[in-house]
Amino acid sequence: MKKLLVIMVLGLFLITPSLADDIRDFQIEGMSVGDSALDYFSKKKIDSSYKGFYAKSKKFFYIIIENTKFDLYDNIDFYLKADDKNYKMYGIAGIKRYKLNSEESYKKCISKKEEIESYLEKIFPGSEINKSTWTNSNGSKSIMTDFELDNGVATIRCIIPKISPRGTHITMISLRLRELAEWHRYAN
């Protein structure tokens, strides 16, 4: 009996806590990764929307849906697999734009990023969190936070453009299933 108790106690210490909950538990405008885009948009709307591809691989592509009916975001992007007839969304991103007119738009961008980040820390406790900042080739700066989950990645990003009259600050949240997240690391 003592051996059984010792084994049970040791077993509890050897259990490694898993990463946070399922990425599909989070929604953007009522949509979750793993859902079919056809549940939300007509095939005609999807096929007539902008499609973006990456130079290194055509396995996935993204669709940009601009819609004034969204509650929180100016547009939604989602990733589909090139050969998937069911239009399964492997990734979803909500984009909020702030007109580049002052320090105020920068503050709104950062404030929204921090608000979403705080929310994700609560619903994905124990997830691995990675923060980074980088500047891309056109001079825009991205301030990012990734929440690594067992089956995907949630990323919050504030994009600060190089000063230009057409630029906008952008707060973006994206959810990606693990398959897309791994592909995306090598397709850029």
Side-chain angles (χ1 to χ4, degrees), residues 133-143 158-164 167-168 170:
T133 301
W134 54 274
T135 303
N136 68 16
S137 60
N138 72 8
S140 293
K141 182 177 173 181
S142 285
I143 302 168
C158 187
I159 301 170
I160 302 146
K162 184 177 177 180
I163 300 301
S164 79
T168 58
I170 297 171

Side-chain angles (χ1 to χ4, degrees), residues 19-141:
L19 292 177
D21 294 334
D22 194 326
I23 190 81
R24 295 170 293 190
D25 291 341
F26 190 78
Q27 295 181 337
I28 294 176
E29 295 286 350
M31 297 174 273
S32 297
V33 291
D35 292 350
S36 171
L38 294 172
D39 292 342
Y40 307 99
F41 308 103
S42 70
K43 186 175 182 323
K44 182 179 178 181
K45 175 75 171 169
I46 295 168
D47 291 343
S48 66
S49 295
Y50 176 83
K51 291 181 180 69
F53 293 90
Y54 289 86
K56 291 183 183 179
S57 172
K58 305 287 189 232
K59 181 177 180 179
F60 291 97
F61 62 95
Y62 61 94
I63 301 286
I64 299 174
I65 303 282
E66 294 188 31
N67 187 334
T68 57
K69 294 181 182 178
F70 293 134
D71 293 327
L72 301 172
Y73 299 100
D74 298 317
N75 62 280
I76 298 293
D77 299 356
F78 54 89
Y79 285 83
L80 303 174
K81 202 178 241 186
D83 59 357
D84 183 7
K85 303 295 184 214
N86 296 318
Y87 290 77
K88 176 181 175 180
M89 294 186 289
Y90 286 80
I92 304 170
I95 314 292
K96 180 70 178 167
R97 289 176 169 59
Y98 305 95
K99 290 184 180 174
L100 185 62
N101 56 8
S102 68
E103 184 70 18
E104 183 180 329
S105 61
Y106 170 79
K107 288 178 183 176
K108 284 181 183 177
C109 185
I110 295 296
S111 175
K112 181 56 84 173
K113 177 191 174 292
E114 290 171 351
E115 176 187 329
I116 296 168
E117 190 175 304
S118 176
Y119 179 72
L120 290 181
E121 286 172 351
K122 291 175 187 160
I123 67 167
F124 296 137
S127 63
E128 180 182 331
I129 300 172
N130 300 303
K131 295 185 179 202
S132 61
T133 301
W134 54 274
T135 303
N136 68 16
S137 60
N138 72 8
S140 293
K141 182 177 173 181

